[in-house]
């Protein structure tokens, strides 16, 4: 078609405000109707005729090769959450290049751009961790901004670390604000899981969580090599010495992360990747392909054809992000033993997509769905092991067949979830990673929503049953995470002989932290130290690598005057994962009211910068800690 004919086709008379994004909650753009048959539905506003000659000049300068491509080719944004210095993300720019080349083969224009991230593992236990959760919002904001400002016709996002995925889906429609906000055709490509590490001194597979648990064992004198003590060498040779605890720890540090990819257990990154695949927002297998596998590179190549199908069929993120899709995500998270952070992100994604989802829905799903996966942090296996026996699609195939997963939901292939996994191999017979429904690890889910006089607005507990289903102990209160870390580092302040202790860490919520930092350093140190007499409660968060008797996301948080701010050392606290309660049982309502009279709202710090803005905008954890819910 000649440019002159295109001008009449693309004229204002045929453009209309996007009917799938026209309620006024988000910025509205005009586009061509799907029946036009054109795939450049949004970008044509800039490239038709000579309405925007400056824009076209810039696009020619950026690489549009000729007038035919200028007038006809759709624009696909390729957003990588790439940066150096973090194994989860350091390879994503290369994946973006593969996607760009594949997009160009489909006669489309691929435009790579980048967004920010924070390494949870590197910042864990330090002030940098406060910046982690807010990156979900920054990622969402930045992808939304580029996609809409540049009039992209579709988006392929490539996240790696924990907050990356919900950040990418919210903006467009599932797993991050970007997809739901711009609501353009969207696919997420997970950067992939890391390979397992191996420690010669321990004689076993290790991963990032091993480092934190080993630190606790080291402090409490429980870190030892797997080999026996000094052995006399034969024929008068030198004695073979057992590595010291310091050498064992150094060996773990050097070998826990053998290359590119996200942390290898069912931690937050793999929790979100598997859940988003169950929702239908990524291609089959995306969540379980290792980062360095050939399948991951092929997935990047396939994404170009897939996004073209979505553009032709006018399938958008919100078409996929239905209530049934979120139910699938919750079910798979319970089956696999996923992270408490998943709850926070599901609530945020659903909020953006206008899908009603609450803590009660999480609790209801947990009550009906068993824990089947023997995956780290509480289990023996890693995502790489699950990949070897069939991966996420094989698990979904089994769950669809058994009626726990809705196979009729639409996906980014243009087909249903059930159709996607129908031809996939079944789980390997005899594999020990995913238990049968008749022989679960736990008959109900491991994520429990607790309420009580310490958390009237809700709290999220991760209880696999290995540490029991209830805990009662005397409170020991810490007003910041670093206070607990210092106590644990001393090695003598908190002891196994102290009786049952409920360690309460407060003023670490979304506003009070600010930033709701993860507290893996403390939870892992307690596991490594063998302190079975300890439970943890916080208005902050725990890492997906955390396990033990832990309760987080307490609402209202201490900074908002929640009851957790009124707990004192020595109060008796009971956590009941059967009745789903958390209470200071030794404190009457009258006593709580009296304590409240003496409580003073803390001054919010910092006062300027990105964290100050975040603290003033962010909502509570029971609503997903979102920043745009006025």
């Amino acid at each position: 078609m000649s440019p002159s004919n295109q001008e009449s086709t693309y004229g204002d008379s045929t453009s209309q405000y996007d009917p799938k994004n026209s309620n006024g909650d988000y910025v509205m753009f005009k586009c061509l109707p799907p029946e036009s048959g054109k795939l450049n539905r949004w970008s044509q506003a800039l490239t038709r005729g000579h309405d925007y000659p400056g824009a076209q000049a810039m696009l020619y300068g950026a690489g549009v090769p000729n007038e035919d491509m200028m007038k006809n080719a759709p624009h696909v944004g390729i957003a990588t959450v790439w940066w150096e210095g973090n194994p989860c993300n350091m390879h994503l720019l290369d994946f973006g290049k593969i996607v760009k080349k594949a997009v160009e083969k489909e006669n489309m224009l691929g435009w790579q751009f980048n967004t920010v991230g924070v390494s949870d593992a590197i910042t864990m236990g330090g002030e940098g961790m406060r910046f982690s959760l807010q990156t979900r919002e920054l990622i969402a904001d930045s992808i939304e901004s580029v996609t809409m400002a540049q009039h992209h016709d579709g988006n392929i996002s490539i996240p790696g670390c924990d907050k990356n995925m919900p950040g990418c889906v919210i903006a467009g429609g599932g797993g991050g604000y970007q997809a739901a906000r711009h609501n353009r055709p969207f696919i997420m490509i997970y950067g992939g899981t890391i390979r397992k590490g191996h420690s010669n001194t321990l004689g076993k597979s290790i991963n990032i969580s091993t480092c934190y648990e080993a630190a606790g064992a080291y402090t409490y004198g429980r870190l030892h090599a797997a080999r026996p003590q000094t052995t006399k060498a034969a024929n008068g040779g030198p004695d073979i010495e057992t590595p010291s605890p310091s050498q064992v720890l150094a060996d773990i540090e050097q070998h826990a992360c053998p290359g590119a990819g996200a942390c290898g257990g069912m931690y937050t990154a793999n929790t979100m990747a598997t859940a988003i695949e169950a929702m239908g927002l990524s291609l089959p297998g995306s969540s379980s392909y290792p980062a360095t596998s050939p399948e991951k590179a092929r997935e990047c190549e396939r994404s170009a054809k897939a996004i073209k199908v979505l553009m032709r069929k006018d399938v958008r993120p919100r078409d996929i992000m239905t209530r049934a899709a979120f139910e699938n995500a919750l079910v798979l998270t319970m089956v696999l033993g996923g992270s408490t952070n998943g709850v926070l992100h599901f609530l945020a994604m659903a909020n953006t997509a206008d899908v009603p989802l609450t803590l009660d829905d999480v609790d209801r799903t947990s009550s009906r769905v068993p824990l089947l996966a023997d995956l780290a942090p509480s289990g023996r296996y890693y995502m790489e092991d699950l990949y070897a026996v069939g991966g996420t699609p094989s698990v979904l195939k089994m769950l669809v067949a058994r009626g726990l997963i809705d196979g009729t939901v639409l996906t980014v292939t243009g087909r249903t979830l059930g159709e996607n996994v129908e031809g996939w191999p079944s789980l390997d017979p005899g594999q020990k990673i995913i238990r049968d429904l008749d022989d679960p690890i736990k008959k109900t889910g491991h994520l429990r929503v607790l309420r009580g006089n310490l958390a009237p607005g809700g709290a999220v507990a991760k209880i696999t049953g290995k540490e029991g289903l209830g805990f009662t102990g005397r409170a020991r209160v810490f007003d910041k995470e670093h206070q607990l870390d210092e106590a644990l580092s001393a090695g003598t302040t908190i002891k196994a002989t102290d009786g049952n202790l409920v360690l309460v860490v407060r003023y670490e919520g979304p506003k009070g932290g600010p930033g709701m930092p993860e507290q893996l350093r403390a939870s892992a140190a307690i596991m490594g130290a063998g302190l079975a007499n300890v439970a943890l409660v916080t208005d902050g968060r725990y890492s997906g690598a955390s396990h033990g008797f832990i309760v987080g996301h307490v609402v209202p948080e201490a900074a908002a005057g929640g009851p957790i701010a009124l707990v004192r050392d020595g109060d008796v606290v009971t956590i009941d994962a059967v009745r789903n309660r958390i209470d200071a049982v030794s404190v009457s309502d009258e006593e709580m009211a009296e304590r409240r009279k003496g409580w003073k709202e803390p001054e919010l710090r910092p006062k300027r910068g990105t964290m100050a803005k975040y603290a003033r905008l962010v909502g509570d954890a029971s609503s997903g800690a979102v920043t745009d819910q006025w």
Side-chain angles (χ1 to χ4, degrees), residues 435-458:
R435 302 269 283 270
D436 189 80
L437 284 169
D438 298 325
D439 183 31
I441 293 172
K442 187 172 180 286
K443 291 183 179 179
T444 56
H446 63 299
L447 298 181
R448 312 302 298 179
V449 175
L450 311 181
R451 289 184 171 87
N453 70 0
L454 280 187

Side-chain angles (χ1 to χ4, degrees), residues 255-332:
H255 297 104
C257 299
C263 301
M266 190 45 59
Y267 311 148
T268 305
N270 283 324
T271 296
M272 295 313 300
T274 53
I276 288 166
E277 183 172 332
M279 291 175 69
L281 286 161
S282 55
L283 295 175
S286 180
S287 63
S288 47
Y289 293 147
T292 56
S293 67
E295 291 96 333
K296 181 56 67 177
R298 287 196 288 270
E299 177 192 352
C300 292
E301 293 173 345
R302 292 199 307 273
S303 67
K305 288 184 182 296
I307 196 76
K308 203 168 189 178
V309 169
L310 296 179
M311 295 163 79
R312 281 178 177 152
K313 293 186 174 183
D314 193 32
V315 174
R316 318 276 196 87
R318 291 198 205 179
D319 298 325
I320 296 173
M321 293 176 72
T322 62
R323 173 68 186 221
F326 278 101
E327 292 277 356
N328 282 352
L330 288 173
V331 167
L332 189 62

Side-chain angles (χ1 to χ4, degrees), residues 541-602:
R541 296 182 297 134
Y542 293 107
S543 164
S546 297
H547 60 122
F549 220 104
I550 57 176
V551 181
H553 306 199
V554 170
V555 173
E557 61 176 290
I564 191 173
L566 309 178
V567 179
R568 295 177 180 173
D569 285 347
D571 289 348
V572 177
V573 175
T574 293
I575 304 164
D576 186 337
V578 177
R579 295 174 56 239
N580 292 340
R581 299 283 305 180
I582 177 168
D583 296 282
V585 294
S586 64
V587 186
S588 66
D589 292 344
E590 293 75 16
E591 172 64 16
M592 279 287 192
E594 193 63 30
R595 291 181 186 182
R596 182 168 296 284
K597 292 178 183 178
W599 179 78
K600 293 183 179 180
E601 182 177 356

Side-chain angles (χ1 to χ4, degrees), residues 483-513:
Q483 295 176 0
L484 174 56
D485 290 339
E486 290 163 6
L488 290 168
S489 295
T492 56
T493 307
I494 298 170
K495 304 184 292 294
T497 56
D498 287 341
N500 279 3
L501 296 174
V502 177
L503 306 181
V504 178
V505 180
R506 61 194 180 191
Y507 296 104
E508 294 289 18
K511 288 184 181 295

Side-chain angles (χ1 to χ4, degrees), residues 195-518:
R195 298 283 188 180
K196 293 183 290 186
H198 184 82
S199 167
N200 288 327
T201 59
L202 295 180
K204 66 177 184 179
S205 296
I206 61 173
N207 73 107
I208 187 65
S209 183
T210 312
C211 301
Y212 297 101
E213 294 185 15
Y218 180 80
T219 299
Y220 281 77
R222 301 178 72 244
L223 184 62
H224 307 291
R227 298 203 301 266
Q229 295 298 310
T230 304
T231 304
K232 289 288 184 181
N235 303 320
D239 293 345
I240 301 172
E241 295 183 359
T242 300
S244 68
S246 179
Q247 289 171 321
V248 173
L249 193 53
D251 174 53
I252 293 169
E253 292 167 349
Q254 292 169 26
H255 297 104
C257 299
C263 301
M266 190 45 59
Y267 311 148
T268 305
N270 283 324
T271 296
M272 295 313 300
T274 53
I276 288 166
E277 183 172 332
M279 291 175 69
L281 286 161
S282 55
L283 295 175
S286 180
S287 63
S288 47
Y289 293 147
T292 56
S293 67
E295 291 96 333
K296 181 56 67 177
R298 287 196 288 270
E299 177 192 352
C300 292
E301 293 173 345
R302 292 199 307 273
S303 67
K305 288 184 182 296
I307 196 76
K308 203 168 189 178
V309 169
L310 296 179
M311 295 163 79
R312 281 178 177 152
K313 293 186 174 183
D314 193 32
V315 174
R316 318 276 196 87
R318 291 198 205 179
D319 298 325
I320 296 173
M321 293 176 72
T322 62
R323 173 68 186 221
F326 278 101
E327 292 277 356
N328 282 352
L330 288 173
V331 167
L332 189 62
T333 297
M334 300 304 171
V335 165
L336 296 180
S339 165
T340 53
N341 284 314
V343 176
L344 196 72
H345 299 321
F346 296 145
L347 294 172
M349 292 188 293
N351 175 279
T352 301
D354 295 323
V355 173
L357 193 75
T358 68
L359 286 177
D360 291 335
D361 297 308
V362 176
D363 191 49
R364 177 178 50 80
T365 305
S366 184
S367 295
R368 71 180 179 87
V369 176
L371 169 61
L372 301 180
D374 189 11
L375 291 167
S378 59
R380 296 174 292 172
Y381 299 100
Y382 299 95
M383 182 56 80
E384 183 182 356
D385 299 312
L386 183 59
Y387 156 76
V389 300
T392 304
S394 294
V395 178
L396 289 171
K397 181 178 181 179
M398 181 268 289
L399 295 174
V400 169
R402 299 296 293 271
L404 281 179
I405 287 284
D406 183 350
T408 67
V409 299
L410 184 63
T411 75
V412 293
T413 65
R415 303 185 302 164
T416 68
L417 185 67
E419 290 170 337
N420 285 347
V421 301
E422 185 178 11
W424 206 273
S426 299
L427 284 167
D428 280 357
Q431 59 82 27
K432 300 183 184 303
I433 302 169
I434 305 296
R435 302 269 283 270
D436 189 80
L437 284 169
D438 298 325
D439 183 31
I441 293 172
K442 187 172 180 286
K443 291 183 179 179
T444 56
H446 63 299
L447 298 181
R448 312 302 298 179
V449 175
L450 311 181
R451 289 184 171 87
N453 70 0
L454 280 187
V460 180
K462 187 176 188 179
I463 299 171
T464 64
K466 292 186 176 182
E467 294 83 20
L469 298 176
F471 191 97
T472 297
R474 294 198 171 273
R476 189 171 294 180
V477 180
F478 302 88
D479 280 344
K480 283 291 181 182
E481 178 196 1
H482 72 83
Q483 295 176 0
L484 174 56
D485 290 339
E486 290 163 6
L488 290 168
S489 295
T492 56
T493 307
I494 298 170
K495 304 184 292 294
T497 56
D498 287 341
N500 279 3
L501 296 174
V502 177
L503 306 181
V504 178
V505 180
R506 61 194 180 191
Y507 296 104
E508 294 289 18
K511 288 184 181 295
M516 207 180 180
E518 292 180 353

Side-chain angles (χ1 to χ4, degrees), residues 15-26:
S15 293
Q16 59 187 16
Y17 283 113
D18 183 1
K20 288 189 175 182
N21 197 24
S22 59
N23 66 1
D25 285 355
Y26 299 100

